[in-house]
Amino acid sequence: MLGVHKEKAWQIPTQFVPASMRNRGNYIASLGNLCRWLSERAEALEVEIFPGFAAAEVLYREHAEVAGVITGDMGLAEDGSKKPSFEPGMEMRAKYTLFAEGARGHLGKQLIAKFQLDAGARAQHYGLGLKELWDCDPQKHQQGLVIHGSGWPLSESGSGGGFFLYHLESNQISVGLIVDLNYQNPHVNPFEEFQRLK
Ligand SMILES: Cc1cc2nc3c(=O)[nH]c(=O)nc-3n(C[C@H](O)[C@H](O)[C@H](O)COP(=O)(O)OP(=O)(O)OC[C@H]3O[C@@H](n4cnc5c(N)ncnc54)[C@H](O)[C@@H]3O)c2cc1C
C-alpha cells in the first residue's frame, strides 16, 4: 500500500495496515475480464452457460430440499402480456445448486429466511460503492500502483468507508469510494463525497 503525501495525508506504517489491504506483490485483475476468461474455459469443458437468463424461483423436491431453479419468462410486454418473442421460463434441475447472486440476491434472501441460514450470524452490513474508469496520460501512469485510503472526506461527517485507486493496464485507472451505509448524518451525499475526494 502506498500513501499519498499531500498537506494533511499521511502514510500508515505497513505493520498497522489491515491484512486485506496489503497488496505488495499482488496482481490487479478486472473481475469483468476474469469472468470472460473463465467462461471460455468453462465452455471448453462443455459447461452450458445461459447469459441473460435470471433464476426467478427456487425449485424444491421432497423434504424442502433445493432441486434447482426456474428461469424467468422472456419476451413479456410492460403490461405483462406475451410478446411474439415470448419464451416461458425453464425448469433447471440439478443434483447440486450453487447460488451466487451477490450481496442481496432475491432468491438468496428467500433461502436465508427458509433455512434460517443467518441464525447465529452477525447482521449483514452494506456499503455504497462509486467507481470511475479514467483514461490516463501515459506519463502519469504507473501500472500496478495501488492506493487505498480512509479518513477524509468521510471523516468530516463521522462516516466510515474508504477510497481505492488502481493503475490498470492500457493507461487506465480505476478510482472509487466506498461509503458504509450506516452513516448517521442524513446530509451525507456519497456522490458529492466522491467529487470532493477527486
Ligand atoms: C465499487 C466497488 C469496488 C470494489 N472493489 C473491490 C476490489 O478492489 N477488490 C475486491 O476484492 N473486491 C472489491 N469489491 C467487492 C467485490 O466486487 C465483491 O465482493 C464481489 O464482486 C462479490 O462477488 P459475488 O460473486 O459474491 O457477487 P457479484 O459480483 O455481485 O455477482 C453476482 C452476480 O449474479 C447475478 N445475479 C443476481 N441475481 C441473479 C439471478 N436471480 N439469476 C441470475 N443471475 C443473478 C448478478 O447480476 C451478478 O452478476 C468492490 C465492490 C464495489 C461495489
Side-chain angles (χ1 to χ4, degrees):
M1 176 168 138
L2 291 162
V4 205
H5 292 282
K6 278 215 177 144
E7 293 174 31
K8 293 181 196 163
W10 49 281
Q11 183 165 350
I12 302 172
T14 311
Q15 63 267 35
F16 299 119
V17 174
S20 59
M21 291 181 131
R22 291 187 197 176
N23 287 302
R24 210 171 285 283
N26 289 349
Y27 289 98
I28 301 173
S30 146
L31 201 51
N33 287 343
L34 179 72
C35 288
R36 274 186 285 276
W37 174 85
L38 202 56
S39 68
E40 285 167 18
R41 298 294 178 285
E43 281 177 328
L45 295 169
E46 298 184 358
V47 172
E48 269 189 80
I49 299 177
F50 300 95
F53 287 83
E57 267 177 68
V58 183
L59 269 171
Y60 295 98
R61 57 173 83 91
E62 273 176 57
H63 311 301
E65 280 175 27
V66 171
V69 293
I70 306 180
T71 62
D73 292 340
M74 303 285 277
L76 289 173
E78 267 177 39
D79 62 2
S81 61
K82 296 174 185 175
K83 294 199 280 193
S85 58
F86 176 79
E87 274 186 49
M90 295 178 282
E91 266 195 25
M92 304 181 108
R93 293 182 175 268
K95 191 169 176 187
Y96 298 105
T97 308
L98 300 181
F99 292 87
E101 295 178 292
R104 200 162 163 75
H106 72 288
L107 299 183
K109 279 195 286 183
Q110 291 169 23
L111 291 163
I112 289 169
K114 188 175 173 74
F115 297 108
Q116 288 151 31
L117 301 177
D118 54 354
R122 283 189 290 176
Q124 269 184 288
H125 67 269
Y126 297 93
L128 192 66
L130 296 129
K131 180 178 129 180
E132 289 183 2
L133 209 51
W134 293 348
D135 284 318
C136 166
D137 175 354
Q139 304 289 330
K140 295 180 183 164
H141 192 256
Q142 300 176 52
Q143 187 167 329
L145 175 65
V146 171
I147 299 175
H148 282 152
S150 60
W152 191 86
L154 297 171
S155 54
E156 274 183 6
S157 55
S159 318
F163 74 87
F164 60 87
L165 192 146
Y166 302 115
H167 284 238
L168 312 173
E169 69 269 35
S170 312
N171 296 320
Q172 284 196 316
I173 296 179
S174 164
V175 60
L177 177 72
I178 312 281
V179 182
D180 295 342
L181 280 182
N182 60 352
Y183 48 80
Q184 306 278 320
N185 181 340
H187 299 288
V188 171
N189 177 335
F191 176 77
E192 288 299 338
E193 295 296 76
F194 187 34
Q195 296 299 93
R196 286 205 301 149
L197 173 78
K198 287 189 292 173

